[in-house]
Amino acid sequence: MTYQIEIEGVDKHYGAYHALRDVDVRIPTGQFVALVGPSGCGKSTLLRTIAGLETISEGRIRIAGRDVSSVPPRERDIAMVFQSYALYPHMTVAGNLMYSLRLKGMSRAQARARAEEIAAITGLSDLMHRYPRELSGGQRQRVAMGRAIVRSPAAFLFDEPLSNLDAALRVHMRSEIRKLHNRIGATSVYVTHDQIEAMTMADHVVVMRAGRIEQQGAPLELYDRPVNRFVAGFIGSPAMNFVEGLVTEDGRHVRLALPGEPALAFTGRRPPGEVVVVGLRPEHLTPVGGDQAGGNRLELPVALVERTGSASYVVSDTEPSILIAATERLAGLRDGMFAVAIDPACVHLFHSDTGLALDRMG
Amino acid sequence: MLRDDRFARAGLLAIALVLVGLYLFPLYWMYVTALKTGTEISAWPPRFWPETPDVAVVEVWERLRMGTFLWNSLIIALGTTAVVVLLGTGCGYALARVRGLWMDVALFLILMMQVLPSSLMITPIFVAFSQFGLLEYPRLSVILAQVAKLLPFYVVLVRATFLQVPRELEEAALVDGNSRLGAFLKINVPLARNGILVAAVLIMLQALGEYVYSRSLIQERAFQPATVGLQSFMGPNTSDWQGVMTYAAIYVTPILLFFVLLQRQIVSGLTSGALK
Ligand SMILES: Nc1ncnc2c1ncn2[C@@H]1O[C@H](COP(=O)(O)OP(=O)(O)OP(=O)(O)O)[C@@H](O)[C@H]1O
Ligand SMILES: [Mg+2]
């Protein structure tokens, strides 16, 4: 496999503040990679170091095999879409699209033709003579996208390009961007704090926290096998439930710190008596009839039921409260007890101090 | 309600007109006096409009050798403005972009320089310039002295306009393939154009009206600017008020026209649409 962007052991300091800590990411050619994490975790900083807008304190960055660690942005052959779009306000849409081509030394006529071509793809053909201030938010967003793809760069960098759009347009542009990527096939790094965006758009997701990479891999791999409690809680919506638990004598069950201390089976085994944090995804807790026996069951008092039509959310009246996401309507459920079952393979166990996912042998 | 509102508005307008009238009265008096003959000027009570307007522009221009004076004024003002804009624009940009303790110190020092009055600075400047032999080129030495005086003012004004140009725009230009200098010239300067223009005009007007440096550094009459030239016609025994006022009118009118025309250029909202 050939790698288009290779980031090796990158550290970044802003004065005394350590913004990136030993970051390693390797992006195969043509992949769409999402960087996710909470606000302030260093996603934009990492993207800007790839672009060359920030210098790195330590480590190496290679683009298309060439070490660019100390190369200025203009020689890196990358295109960037800024969160604020950063359209040149004193140039028309055509001017914005042609700017980088003209800098590369392309003739006016050629640049014009190429800009028209891109405008047709992005649906901007009728707006070529407008100035950015005369465009709607969605149109500006498309100009920003167009300005990036017009160059056929070695890689695309996106810094939360959809965060200024309303919800409906965001969902629409999400699939547009992904379709565009499927067509052009250029390596892309996409920053977002919205894990749904990351999960739906990317081939490879990198989860960051406080300047560190917590886990990276295919979206469903992160969902199925989070390496720690942070990733488990960050990926997936609604978020995973966490409850303290105690591994039972046989090492195959865990007793939850909930009323009645129910025990749940999990796959594999852990040392008996170990204190752990149990992670249960709301959508893995499936409602079962109250009289049905057996299975990996949990009975919970109901505090609240929310129905959206396509899904129903049950909040348990416990401390901590457990959220259940069911696809049924659960008509008639109001209060009283509610029984759910879970597949032992879906019971996640984390170390109670470090939060690391626990290996389960045999 | 509506009626009250209208009265209040009319009242405010009247007050505004009175204030403007007060403010512009000297200007009006200058023009009127320039049109009066000697006897009419000393007449009592003063007339607010001359009986027989007497335009003495050509005569005064010739007699007081205004051509030379205005030419010198223009050279000094344009020279000062050019040097200030060339040196100050990059400086204001740097002060707008780089943050840190040292930049704050630099900004503070720049503002300090602005505080020193020219009448105080002229002695050391005179001594230094004469030692360097700069007084051989009197107009150049006035230009240099004025640049030193006006540069801080310009830098502070231009820095404020560069602060309003979003940083992402130049970063986008860098990623798009421009150099630092290219991004500065192609993105920052065009977007800060109005601010730069206004600051440059203010500098030029200041330079046109400057008196202290020219008076002290230029001995030869042929190199003196209009401000110094006008002064030499005025004194306790001045009787030629029409001449002096005509002189002043000739000097001031182009500046006024220039300023009025420029108003159109001072439009805001040039950067709108860049972000979001
Ligand atoms: N120029 C700077 N000087 C000092 N600290 C900075 C600078 N730029 C960013 N930081 C710090 O680095 C950290 C990471 O910033 P960054 O912009 O990369 O966050 P982010 O993950 O993109 O967050 P968001 O989702 O809010 O955009 C933040 O804590 C921020 O305060
Ligand atoms: Mg960010």
Side-chain angles (χ1 to χ4, degrees), chain B residues 52-99:
Chain B
T52 46
D54 174 37
V55 182
V57 172
V58 177
E59 188 258 336
V60 168
W61 180 279
E62 303 266 307
R63 182 160 54 85
L64 302 186
R65 279 171 293 142
M66 282 200 67
T68 332
F69 286 136
L70 283 180
W71 177 242
N72 289 333
S73 282
L74 204 64
I75 287 183
I76 290 175
L78 286 180
T80 306
T81 311
V83 178
V84 165
V85 169
L86 272 179
L87 294 180
T89 308
C91 184
Y93 167 70
L95 280 167
R97 280 296 179 264
V98 185
R99 294 282 161 77

Side-chain angles (χ1 to χ4, degrees), chain A residues 48 88 90 99 133 140, chain B residues 171 176 178 186 272 276:
Chain A
R48 293 164 55 83
Y88 308 126
H90 55 311
Y99 186 69
R133 63 176 170 277
R140 287 177 196 172
Chain B
E171 289 179 342
D176 265 352
N178 221 331
K186 283 279 170 55
S272 70
K276 273 202 75 176

Side-chain angles (χ1 to χ4, degrees), chain B residues 154-172:
Chain B
Y154 179 83
V155 167
V156 170
L157 281 183
V158 165
R159 172 180 178 267
T161 55
F162 277 125
L163 278 178
Q164 301 198 337
V165 178
R167 211 188 175 118
E168 282 100 331
L169 292 184
E170 87 188 69
E171 289 179 342

Side-chain angles (χ1 to χ4, degrees), chain A residues 48 51 53 73-74 78-80 82 84-91 96 99-100 103 132-133 137 140 147 151 164, chain B residues 167-180 182-183 186-187 190-191 269-276:
Chain A
R48 293 164 55 83
L53 295 172
R74 73 190 144 118
I78 32 106
M80 186 157 170
F82 290 80
S84 55
Y85 308 153
L87 304 179
Y88 308 126
H90 55 311
M91 299 181 195
N96 270 277
Y99 186 69
S100 62
L103 281 175
R133 63 176 170 277
R140 287 177 196 172
R147 193 173 64 178
R151 301 173 40 194
N164 287 330
Chain B
R167 211 188 175 118
E168 282 100 331
L169 292 184
E170 87 188 69
E171 289 179 342
L174 289 180
V175 172
D176 265 352
N178 221 331
S179 60
R180 291 293 314 224
K186 283 279 170 55
I187 305 295
L191 291 178
L270 193 75
T271 56
S272 70
L275 305 183
K276 273 202 75 176

